[in-house]
């Protein structure tokens, strides 16, 4: 059933996992422990040793990568269109298949990143680089050949050396500390240093960066967790701030690894995250609490479940493997998020009352109202072009200016950048 390239893709995914363990990217520690101070790099030889041990695996991976890149592999959406009926007949949700294929492409991207592609090494400091997302960025940027240093909470006595000469500083700290860290770090930054954050809020961090730092500023939000192996098939929201051309190399790197950069204003980002993150977390958190409260035998329920139920249980279980502090911070981060969650709870209560009253007509009316809403969304989204969406939002952020004005898109972001896809294609 599988063609040669299909089998090689499967083999590549399997072997990449083996090689990644040898290289130390197992989720328990960063790809390479960046030195606290750049001059201490010579005392950290572990990366070279572990890399040499993985030479055998990497050779096999490169052979598979050569075969796959030489072959004609259809785009994911084309493959899905061909397989949709077979997946439906087998009871396999399309999202499960997409996740599997995306993992294979992520493996391809990881292998490609080990190649000898010529880059200009840049000096990068990641504040919070030993956190889970900080480690991901450390791994990706180090593997690409950049010089990455880490500044943790206990390293501020070295802040001058770690920050003053950095070309890029990335703030990777919890939401509640972000503004304070930006303010503290800004006093050490050169006017030419590019400063960005990766928190799930953008309005407040962007305002802080623009206020306390005179140089280039951009807000980023990776729309994925730290367990992924590369940027392949992942989305990163970019909120332009000032001197956006200073970040062009970073955004190009993300895109070169198979990622998609989505341009947004901080205000639109935060509005969308109320739905994408806060209410979604609360909804799944509520179901998880209910299942625990009722002491449901999950394993037994899975024995007689549908594919969609198994998928939902897997998503809920993944939520509860995360840090409770992170999950709660996402829900409580802003008053808007708390208000939206309260409105969602009111909706639950209203619908539950209709169920308790066995008001069949009212429940059907609620269903049909929502059904009509989603039908209209799918029709409307087909008419929303990438260009029109970009024009509306990029024009608000002229390059080199702190205050947004209309009609002057930033130079680095006004050409060739992927923007938000049609909403029918977006994964919220």
């Amino acid at each position: 059933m599988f063609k040669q390239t299909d089998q090689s893709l499967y083999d590549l995914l399997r072997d990449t996992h083996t090689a990644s363990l040898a290289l130390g990217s197992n989720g328990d520690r960063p790809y390479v422990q960046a030195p606290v101070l750049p001059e201490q790099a010579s005392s950290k030889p572990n990366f070279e040793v572990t890399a040499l041990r993985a030479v055998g695996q990497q050779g096999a991976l490169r052979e598979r990568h050569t075969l796959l890149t030489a072959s004609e592999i259809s785009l994911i959406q084309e493959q899905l269109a061909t397989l949709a009926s077979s997946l439906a007949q087998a009871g396999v949700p399309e999202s499960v298949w997409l996740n599997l294929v995306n993992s294979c492409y992520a493996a391809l991207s990881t292998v490609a990143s080990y190649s000898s592609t010529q880059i200009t090494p840049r000096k990068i400091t990641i504040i919070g680089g030993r956190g889970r997302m900080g480690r991901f960025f450390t791994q990706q940027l180090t593997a690409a050949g950049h010089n990455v240093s880490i500044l943790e909470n206990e390293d501020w006595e070295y802040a001058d050396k770690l920050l003053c000469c950095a070309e890029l500083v990335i703030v990777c700290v919890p939401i509640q500390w972000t503004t304070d860290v930006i303010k503290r770090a800004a006093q050490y930054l050169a006017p030419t240093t590019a400063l960005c954050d990766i928190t799930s809020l953008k309005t407040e961090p962007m305002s802080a960066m623009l206020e306390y730092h005179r140089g280039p500023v951009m807000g980023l939000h990776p729309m994925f967790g730290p367990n992924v192996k590369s940027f392949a098939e992942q989305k990163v929201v970019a909120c332009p701030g000032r001197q956006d051309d200073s970040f062009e190399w970073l955004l190009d790197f993300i895109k070169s690894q198979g990622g998609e950069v989505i341009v947004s204003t901080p205000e639109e980002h935060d509005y969308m995250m109320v739905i994408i993150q806060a209410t979604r977390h609360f909804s799944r958190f509520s179901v998880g609490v209910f299942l625990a409260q009722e002491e449901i035998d999950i394993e037994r329920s899975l024995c007689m479940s549908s594919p969609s139920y198994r998928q939902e249980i897997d998503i809920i279980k993944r939520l509860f493997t995360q840090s409770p502090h992170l999950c709660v911070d996402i829900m409580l981060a802003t008053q808007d998020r708390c208000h939206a969650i309260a409105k969602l709870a009111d909706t639950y209560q209203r619908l539950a009352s209709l169920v308790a009253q066995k008001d069949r007509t009212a429940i059907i009316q609620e269903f049909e109202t929502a059904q009509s809403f989603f039908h209209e969304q799918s029709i409307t989204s087909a008419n929303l072009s990438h260009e029109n969406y970009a024009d509306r939002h990029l024009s608000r952020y002229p390059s080199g200016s702190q205050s947004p004005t209309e009609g002057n898109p930033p130079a680095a972001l006004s050409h060739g950048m992927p923007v938000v896809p049609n909403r029918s294609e977006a994964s919220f």
Side-chain angles (χ1 to χ4, degrees), residues 196-261:
C196 69
D197 78 300
I198 64 164
T199 54
S200 60
L201 289 177
K202 290 277 79 81
T203 302
E204 184 177 341
M206 286 287 292
S207 296
M209 289 189 290
L210 289 168
E211 178 181 355
Y212 297 115
H213 180 46
R214 294 174 295 165
V217 165
M218 180 173 286
L220 300 177
H221 183 190
M223 298 305 300
F224 53 88
N227 292 328
V228 303
K229 299 300 182 185
S230 80
F231 286 104
E233 298 298 323
Q234 304 298 334
K235 300 176 185 291
V236 178
V237 179
C239 297
R242 185 193 296 130
Q243 299 176 29
D244 309 305
D245 55 321
S246 297
F247 298 91
E248 188 168 10
W249 70 267
L250 177 61
L251 301 180
D252 285 345
F253 168 71
I254 293 172
K255 290 183 284 185
S256 73
Q257 299 300 298
E260 180 182 3
V261 177

Side-chain angles (χ1 to χ4, degrees), residues 4-183:
Q4 183 183 16
T5 52
D6 295 324
Q7 184 62 48
S8 294
L9 195 61
Y10 169 80
D11 292 341
L12 177 65
L13 179 61
R14 179 198 62 204
D15 293 347
T16 299
H17 173 69
T18 303
S20 67
L21 292 179
L23 283 168
S25 57
N26 58 7
D28 295 326
R29 59 186 182 276
Y31 183 86
V32 53
Q33 286 283 358
V36 172
L37 295 176
E39 60 265 26
Q40 295 175 339
S42 60
S43 64
K44 300 282 185 177
N46 292 344
F47 171 66
E48 287 79 1
V49 173
T50 53
L52 286 173
R53 292 174 182 169
V55 166
Q57 290 94 332
Q58 290 302 307
L61 290 174
R62 289 195 183 94
E63 290 178 5
R64 300 189 196 284
H65 181 250
T66 300
L67 170 63
L68 286 162
T69 52
S71 64
E72 295 183 359
I73 302 178
S74 302
L75 295 175
I76 291 180
Q77 292 302 325
E78 294 178 3
Q79 296 179 49
L80 181 58
T82 303
L83 295 172
S85 59
S86 299
L87 293 172
Q89 184 177 1
V92 177
E94 292 180 0
S95 58
V96 172
W97 181 85
L98 285 170
N99 285 339
L100 176 61
V101 175
N102 286 339
S103 295
C104 293
Y105 284 129
L108 277 175
S109 177
T110 303
V111 173
S113 71
Y114 298 147
S115 66
S116 58
T117 303
Q118 293 297 316
I119 65 150
T120 301
R122 299 178 186 268
K123 294 181 179 180
I124 301 168
T125 295
I126 300 180
I127 303 178
R130 292 198 180 98
R132 297 186 70 196
M133 283 304 295
R135 285 187 289 179
F136 171 82
F137 275 85
T138 298
Q139 171 188 341
Q140 297 299 310
L141 293 168
T142 302
H146 298 292
N147 301 314
V148 181
S149 298
I150 292 173
L151 191 156
E152 288 294 328
N153 192 44
E154 63 272 17
D155 300 326
W156 283 101
E157 62 182 297
Y158 307 111
D160 186 42
K161 291 183 178 181
L162 288 166
L163 298 175
C164 72
C165 297
E167 297 174 71
L168 171 67
V169 172
I170 305 176
V171 179
C172 305
V173 301
I175 295 172
Q176 68 270 26
W177 300 336
T178 299
T179 298
D180 290 340
V181 168
I182 289 169
K183 183 177 180 180

Side-chain angles (χ1 to χ4, degrees), residues 352-360:
S353 296
L354 296 179
V355 172
Q357 298 165 18
K358 296 186 178 180
D359 192 339
R360 181 182 179 87

Side-chain angles (χ1 to χ4, degrees), residues 106-424:
L108 277 175
S109 177
T110 303
V111 173
S113 71
Y114 298 147
S115 66
S116 58
T117 303
Q118 293 297 316
I119 65 150
T120 301
R122 299 178 186 268
K123 294 181 179 180
I124 301 168
T125 295
I126 300 180
I127 303 178
R130 292 198 180 98
R132 297 186 70 196
M133 283 304 295
R135 285 187 289 179
F136 171 82
F137 275 85
T138 298
Q139 171 188 341
Q140 297 299 310
L141 293 168
T142 302
H146 298 292
N147 301 314
V148 181
S149 298
I150 292 173
L151 191 156
E152 288 294 328
N153 192 44
E154 63 272 17
D155 300 326
W156 283 101
E157 62 182 297
Y158 307 111
D160 186 42
K161 291 183 178 181
L162 288 166
L163 298 175
C164 72
C165 297
E167 297 174 71
L168 171 67
V169 172
I170 305 176
V171 179
C172 305
V173 301
I175 295 172
Q176 68 270 26
W177 300 336
T178 299
T179 298
D180 290 340
V181 168
I182 289 169
K183 183 177 180 180
R184 188 175 185 181
Q187 60 186 305
Y188 300 101
L189 302 181
T192 57
T193 298
L195 176 64
C196 69
D197 78 300
I198 64 164
T199 54
S200 60
L201 289 177
K202 290 277 79 81
T203 302
E204 184 177 341
M206 286 287 292
S207 296
M209 289 189 290
L210 289 168
E211 178 181 355
Y212 297 115
H213 180 46
R214 294 174 295 165
V217 165
M218 180 173 286
L220 300 177
H221 183 190
M223 298 305 300
F224 53 88
N227 292 328
V228 303
K229 299 300 182 185
S230 80
F231 286 104
E233 298 298 323
Q234 304 298 334
K235 300 176 185 291
V236 178
V237 179
C239 297
R242 185 193 296 130
Q243 299 176 29
D244 309 305
D245 55 321
S246 297
F247 298 91
E248 188 168 10
W249 70 267
L250 177 61
L251 301 180
D252 285 345
F253 168 71
I254 293 172
K255 290 183 284 185
S256 73
Q257 299 300 298
E260 180 182 3
V261 177
I262 303 169
V263 180
S264 173
T265 66
E267 295 79 10
E268 188 209 21
H269 168 275
D270 289 356
Y271 173 77
M272 295 304 296
M273 289 306 119
V274 169
I275 303 301
I276 296 170
Q277 286 193 317
T279 57
R280 178 176 59 87
H281 270 67
F282 179 77
S283 178
R284 289 169 176 165
F285 169 69
S286 301
V287 174
V289 170
F290 171 76
L291 294 174
Q293 172 185 293
E294 297 299 312
E295 299 182 346
I296 303 299
D297 187 339
I298 299 297
E299 291 303 318
R300 182 59 177 165
S301 73
L302 292 172
C303 291
M304 55 185 76
S305 65
S306 65
S308 59
Y309 175 83
R310 293 193 292 273
Q311 184 181 15
E312 186 64 25
I313 288 296
D314 183 58
I315 292 172
I316 292 171
K317 287 173 67 176
R318 288 205 302 271
L319 174 66
F320 286 95
T321 63
Q322 298 178 22
S323 162
H325 301 284
L326 175 62
C327 182
V328 171
D329 286 346
I330 286 174
M331 292 189 288
L332 304 184
T334 66
Q335 191 59 41
D336 286 342
R337 295 188 179 197
C338 295
H339 180 65
I341 288 172
K343 289 185 69 175
L344 177 61
D346 289 343
T347 302
Y348 285 157
Q349 182 59 47
R350 177 169 57 82
L351 297 176
S353 296
L354 296 179
V355 172
Q357 298 165 18
K358 296 186 178 180
D359 192 339
R360 181 182 179 87
T361 301
I363 296 172
I364 290 176
Q365 184 177 356
E366 294 282 358
F367 186 96
E368 290 176 343
T369 299
Q371 188 178 53
S372 176
F373 167 79
F374 283 104
H375 177 67
E376 291 172 359
Q377 287 283 309
S378 64
I379 293 175
T380 303
S381 65
N383 299 321
L384 180 61
S385 69
H386 292 186
E387 292 76 16
N388 289 341
Y389 192 92
D391 289 343
R392 287 207 305 274
H393 295 290
L394 286 180
S395 61
R396 299 178 60 185
Y397 287 87
S399 180
S401 171
Q402 178 172 337
S403 302
T405 59
E406 295 292 337
N408 187 17
L413 299 177
S414 60
H415 59 85
M417 173 176 286
V419 294
V420 109
N422 290 343
R423 296 203 187 280
S424 61

